Amino acid sequence: MRIAQLQRPIAAAASSVTRTTATTTIRQLRESLGQLRIGASNIAVEGRRHATHQSQGSYRLKDTSTLPKKLGAKKSGDSYVIPGNIIYKQRGTIWFPGENCGMGRDHTIFALATGYVKYYRDPAKHPKRQYIGVVFDKADKLPYHPHAMRKRRLNMVSVPLVAPTPQPELSPSGIPTQVVRQGLGRKPHPRDERVMKLRTDGSYAYAEESWRLGTLVRTEKRKMGSRRVAMRHRRRKAKAIALEMRAEREDKIARRKEALDAQRKARARKMREYRERKKAEAEAKEGAAGGGGGGAVPPPPTTTSEPPRVDA
């Protein structure tokens, strides 16, 4: 604004002075400062003052106690990753999992194979979505051609297999070199098998191999990640115990049923033999009576055979 626009305040201040003095002062100020220009951004000249803090009730300090979410890309393009490495953390599906990648329940994209990260688009799948994939060769580009050969990496090398040396079933002394002891029950579980091998020290004793014994020993207590995981393992163990008890109960019932069936079959067989024997005796008597030529009928035998008794 121009200084000349401050005429009214200056004139009001000089009103107490004589009229002649005031007119002379105003004229001198106009002549000396009339050519000066002061920008409107000069707050001191304009007489404005702005607040440096907000009014009461609307001012609040920023909360610095919140935990950072740490979202965004964790691996850039062409970065080397292994299975399980987190590539991108997000809220929502800004990026979608592509080749050899998976997505967790919090939309975190992670690698499923060893390779290099690639960010790309695939119009064949979706015109607007953007994907993150992993390729085995750093020079490859995604997406692959729809009819291209599938690329896989099994992390294996070709090694010639060495045929194991056949072990004789019998030792020089004539006893078996290996004995397998089955578990209990009608259907023993394979884990209950015990493979006992003949010792080579000439003691003619069988012993289990050390590595098999090591699988039975629990050297370290399993660490649970949380109470929820511990409860899940506890439920699984209780369920496995219940299923095992149920299998044992069914096995016991089946063995009892087999025993009863065997008793019934034995009883039926004895009764059948008794009837066949009685029938043969009756036929023999009839044949003897017919061959006598009408003679006197012989008296019945004094000894009578009774049916056999079978204890249930």
Side-chain angles (χ1 to χ4, degrees):
M1 61 180 290
R2 294 176 179 270
I3 294 298
Q5 296 179 4
L6 297 176
Q7 179 180 357
R8 292 182 181 179
I10 295 175
S15 60
S16 60
V17 191
T18 59
R19 188 172 185 177
T20 305
T21 308
T23 305
T24 305
T25 305
I26 292 173
R27 188 182 295 111
Q28 291 177 356
L29 287 174
R30 285 180 178 179
E31 292 176 356
S32 61
L33 301 178
Q35 296 180 356
L36 293 177
R37 284 179 173 271
I38 300 177
S41 62
N42 196 335
I43 301 175
V45 175
E46 295 180 1
R48 298 177 186 176
R49 181 176 179 274
H50 297 284
T52 56
H53 291 278
Q54 297 181 4
S55 60
Q56 185 178 3
S58 62
Y59 182 72
R60 177 180 292 181
L61 292 174
K62 293 184 179 180
D63 190 5
T64 59
S65 62
T66 57
L67 296 176
K69 302 301 181 291
K70 299 180 181 179
L71 304 178
K74 308 303 175 186
K75 298 290 183 181
S76 60
D78 295 340
S79 296
Y80 182 78
V81 292
I82 62 175
N85 278 12
I86 294 177
I87 301 175
Y88 201 96
K89 294 198 71 175
Q90 57 186 344
R91 292 290 180 266
T93 52
I94 303 174
W95 293 87
F96 286 83
E99 193 78 17
N100 298 320
C101 283
M103 184 166 63
R105 62 181 182 182
D106 60 345
H107 306 103
T108 298
I109 297 179
F110 56 92
L112 294 176
T114 303
Y116 301 90
V117 179
K118 296 290 182 180
Y119 293 83
Y120 66 100
R121 290 180 180 270
D122 192 356
K125 289 184 178 180
H126 199 276
K128 296 183 179 179
R129 288 182 179 179
Q130 44 192 5
Y131 297 89
I132 300 177
V134 174
V135 296
F136 302 135
D137 190 0
K138 196 173 184 178
D140 290 350
K141 293 184 179 181
L142 293 177
Y144 291 129
H145 191 272
H147 301 293
M149 185 183 300
R150 182 184 178 190
K151 298 185 178 182
R152 299 172 59 191
R153 175 178 291 176
L154 302 178
N155 293 330
M156 297 183 181
V157 294
S158 58
V159 177
L161 296 178
V162 179
T165 57
Q167 296 291 338
E169 297 183 357
L170 297 177
S171 64
S173 58
I175 60 178
T177 57
Q178 179 175 317
V179 176
V180 179
R181 294 183 180 178
Q182 301 291 341
L184 302 176
R186 297 175 63 251
K187 296 180 180 179
H189 199 275
R191 67 167 178 243
D192 296 332
E193 292 183 355
R194 296 291 180 266
V195 180
M196 318 296 288
K197 290 192 175 182
L198 184 66
R199 290 184 176 180
T200 58
D201 55 357
S203 59
Y204 298 99
Y206 291 92
E208 200 166 0
E209 295 177 333
S210 300
W211 68 270
R212 294 183 185 273
L213 292 175
T215 58
L216 304 176
V217 179
R218 195 169 184 175
T219 57
E220 184 180 356
K221 185 178 180 181
R222 184 169 184 175
K223 297 179 181 179
M224 301 299 176
S226 62
R227 295 179 60 189
R228 183 181 300 176
V229 177
M231 180 62 70
R232 190 183 303 140
H233 282 280
R234 201 175 302 125
R235 288 174 181 170
R236 289 179 182 176
K237 186 175 181 180
K239 185 177 180 180
I241 293 174
L243 292 176
E244 189 173 355
M245 293 178 63
R246 180 179 177 181
E248 291 180 358
R249 185 165 57 251
E250 292 177 354
D251 181 32
K252 186 176 181 180
I253 293 173
R255 283 192 274 107
R256 186 180 301 174
K257 185 178 179 181
E258 290 179 358
L260 292 176
D261 292 344
Q263 290 179 3
R264 293 192 188 98
K265 289 180 180 180
R267 190 183 307 161
R269 186 179 65 256
K270 289 184 178 181
M271 292 298 297
R272 187 169 56 255
E273 292 176 355
Y274 171 75
R275 293 191 185 97
E276 291 176 357
R277 188 168 60 253
K278 293 295 290 183
K279 184 177 180 180
E281 291 178 358
E283 290 177 355
K285 291 179 181 179
E286 290 178 359
V297 178
T302 55
T303 60
T304 59
S305 61
E306 297 180 357
R309 297 178 60 185
V310 179
D311 296 335

